[in-house]
């Protein structure tokens, strides 16, 4: 019988790429998610019965313990960018990660890969970055041989970075942003999934790996690259921090007044704090080169999925070619 891996958050942005890769390696894949009925698509990643979504709440011991039963490896891809009710940074990214590691150790799981983030720092002013660092410490306390991956901002067909800002260009001539001078090192989501695959298969030792793409760019440069790709002209405006915080406060008030019916995942005060710090590999930890992986550049991937935001959509290439025709 093939080996079993449990992937927490296996139907999310990164998790689905990990699930697909491990299924191709012949592993049985258990996708632990809060919404299994919305995650049926993961079944198509393998043969019948090979990939199965199951319910799990990472905040509950019994729930986590049940989905770890029989697993030989575990991957924790669960993470949030904005808090929502009980799913706050501490409960999900700090305590949740520690819970997975503790129960995995109790059940004798051989390997664990924890997805963290570049910038994880227990002394950070950002709750997101602080909770990521605490999650790492909790994991290593119970699984000292775990692989900790710290990717920079990830891009890919389902990302919430380029897709979100490209969608915003449809609503006006101005594209606002916060932290235009902040540096990022975007990394292709499947490159991160490849690193996870090596960790699960035992092809790489444990420890902390900082995963950044081949190029470092400012937020403004990335937005201009996106605009060039979708063939649109927009005025890039870098909002002052105080205005951004005022907007974030207003959105949070709306969420509070609606009793949570309107969730603010657009802009939060903590996200603004994060955007004040560069998101690039420090060079103090191992990286892609130690895994034998050559990361893919942004320009090699985003045209494949941002084309739908061009003024002519899928016909843009045809119209461009037609310009060369003579009447």
């Amino acid at each position: 019988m093939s080996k079993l891996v449990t992937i927490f958050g296996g139907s999310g942005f990164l998790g689905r790429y990990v699930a697909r890769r491990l299924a191709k390696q012949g592993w049985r894949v258990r996708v632990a998610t809060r919404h299994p009925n919305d995650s049926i698509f993961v079944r198509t990643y393998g043969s019948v019965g090979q990939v199965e979504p199951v319910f799990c709440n990472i905040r509950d011991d019994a729930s986590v313990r049940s989905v770890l039963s029989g697993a030989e490896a575990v991957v924790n891809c669960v993470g949030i960018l904005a808090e929502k009710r009980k799913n706050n940074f501490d409960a999900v990214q700090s305590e949740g990660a520690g819970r997975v590691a503790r129960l995995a150790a109790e059940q004798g799981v051989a390997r664990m890969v924890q997805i963290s983030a570049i910038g994880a720092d227990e002394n950070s002013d950002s709750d997101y970055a602080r909770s990521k660092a605490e999650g790492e410490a909790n994991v290593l306390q119970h699984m000292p041989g775990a692989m900790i991956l710290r990717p920079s901002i990830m891009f890919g067909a389902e990302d919430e970075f380029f897709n979100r800002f490209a969608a915003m260009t449809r609503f006006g001539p101005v594209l606002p942003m916060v932290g235009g001078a902040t540096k990022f090192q975007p990394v292709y989501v499947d490159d991160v999934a490849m690193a996870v695959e090596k960790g699960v298969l035992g092809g790489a030792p444990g420890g902390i790996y900082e995963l950044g793409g081949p190029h470092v760019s400012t937020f403004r440069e990335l937005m201009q690259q996106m605009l060039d790709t979708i063939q649109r002209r927009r005025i890039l405006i870098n909002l002052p921090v105080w205005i951004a915080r005022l907007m974030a406060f207003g959105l949070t008030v709306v969420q509070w007044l609606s009793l949570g019916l309107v969730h603010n995942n657009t802009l939060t005060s903590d996200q603004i704090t994060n955007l004040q710090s560069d998101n690039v590999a420090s060079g103090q930890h191992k990286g892609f080169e130690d895994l034998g992986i050559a990361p893919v550049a942004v320009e090699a991937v985003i045209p494949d999925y941002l084309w739908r935001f061009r003024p002519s959509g899928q016909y843009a290439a045809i119209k461009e070619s037609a310009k060369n025709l003579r009447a």
Side-chain angles (χ1 to χ4, degrees):
M1 184 178 295
S2 57
K3 296 180 179 180
L4 171 66
V5 58
T6 297
I7 306 176
F8 290 86
S11 61
F13 178 37
L14 171 61
R16 64 185 65 188
Y17 285 82
V18 175
R20 186 184 295 115
R21 280 188 165 275
L22 293 177
K24 288 182 178 180
Q25 290 288 346
W27 283 62
R28 289 184 296 127
V29 180
R30 182 181 289 154
V31 172
T33 172
R34 289 190 300 130
H35 305 289
N37 291 334
D38 296 332
S39 307
I40 302 300
F41 64 88
V42 299
R43 290 179 174 173
T44 62
Y45 297 162
S47 57
V48 176
Q50 184 183 4
V51 183
E52 193 68 25
V54 297
F55 172 78
C56 178
N57 183 346
I58 200 172
R59 295 184 286 106
D60 179 72
D61 272 31
S63 183
V64 172
R65 184 180 290 109
S66 66
V67 299
L68 285 172
S69 177
E72 295 194 37
V74 58
V75 181
N76 182 27
C77 298
V78 177
I80 57 175
L81 292 175
E83 299 178 313
K84 186 176 182 180
R85 300 189 182 93
K86 294 182 179 180
N87 290 314
N88 55 56
F89 291 126
D90 287 332
V92 174
Q93 298 184 162
S94 177
E95 298 167 11
R99 178 174 291 106
V100 171
R102 171 171 56 82
L103 296 177
E106 288 181 6
Q107 298 203 27
V109 177
R111 297 189 182 97
M112 178 171 180
V113 179
Q114 167 71 16
I115 306 302
S116 185
I118 283 181
D121 180 1
E122 61 183 5
N123 297 316
S124 175
D125 292 331
S126 163
D127 289 336
Y128 172 85
R130 175 189 53 76
S131 62
K132 279 291 188 181
E134 291 176 355
E136 291 181 3
N138 291 337
V139 167
L140 294 175
Q141 178 183 352
H142 301 286
M143 298 281 285
M147 170 187 268
I148 308 290
L149 300 182
R150 293 179 176 177
S152 183
I153 190 165
M154 292 184 285
F155 65 91
E158 307 87 355
D159 70 44
E160 294 186 4
F161 182 66
F162 287 116
N163 278 307
R164 170 179 290 188
F165 286 99
M168 289 172 60
T169 64
R170 293 171 168 172
F171 303 111
V174 174
L175 186 62
M177 56 184 175
V178 182
T182 301
K183 295 179 181 179
F184 292 90
Q185 197 171 353
V187 58
Y188 183 39
V189 62
D190 197 42
D191 288 338
V192 179
M194 193 184 306
V196 175
E197 178 184 20
K198 287 181 176 291
V200 170
L201 299 181
I208 297 176
Y209 294 78
E210 290 185 327
L211 305 181
H215 305 303
V216 174
S217 304
T218 64
F219 194 178
R220 176 179 287 273
E221 290 170 342
L222 291 174
M223 290 299 96
Q224 187 59 58
Q225 187 173 10
M226 177 271 294
L227 289 172
D228 293 341
T229 300
I230 65 174
Q231 301 172 2
R232 291 182 184 267
R233 293 182 179 179
R234 294 294 182 268
I235 301 173
L236 295 173
I237 295 183
N238 188 41
L239 296 177
V241 173
W242 69 271
I243 292 181
R245 291 197 181 278
L246 188 61
M247 292 174 59
F249 175 76
L251 291 168
T252 302
V253 169
V254 171
Q255 175 179 298
W256 180 76
L257 291 176
S258 68
L259 301 179
L261 294 178
V262 177
H263 178 52
N264 176 24
N265 58 2
T266 302
L267 183 66
T268 67
S269 178
D270 196 73
Q271 290 170 355
I272 296 171
T273 300
N274 260 326
L275 286 169
Q276 304 308 300
S277 302
D278 291 340
N279 195 263
V280 299
S282 66
Q284 298 177 357
H285 301 282
K286 292 176 283 188
F288 275 127
E289 61 277 6
D290 299 285
L291 297 170
I293 299 173
V296 177
V298 169
E299 58 268 21
V301 178
I302 61 173
D304 292 339
Y305 65 93
L306 291 185
W307 56 264
R308 65 187 185 278
F309 296 106
R310 293 171 179 169
S312 301
Q314 69 266 40
Y315 302 109
I318 296 176
K319 292 179 67 175
E320 185 67 25
S321 178
K323 292 180 180 178
N324 299 321
L325 298 177
R326 292 184 178 182

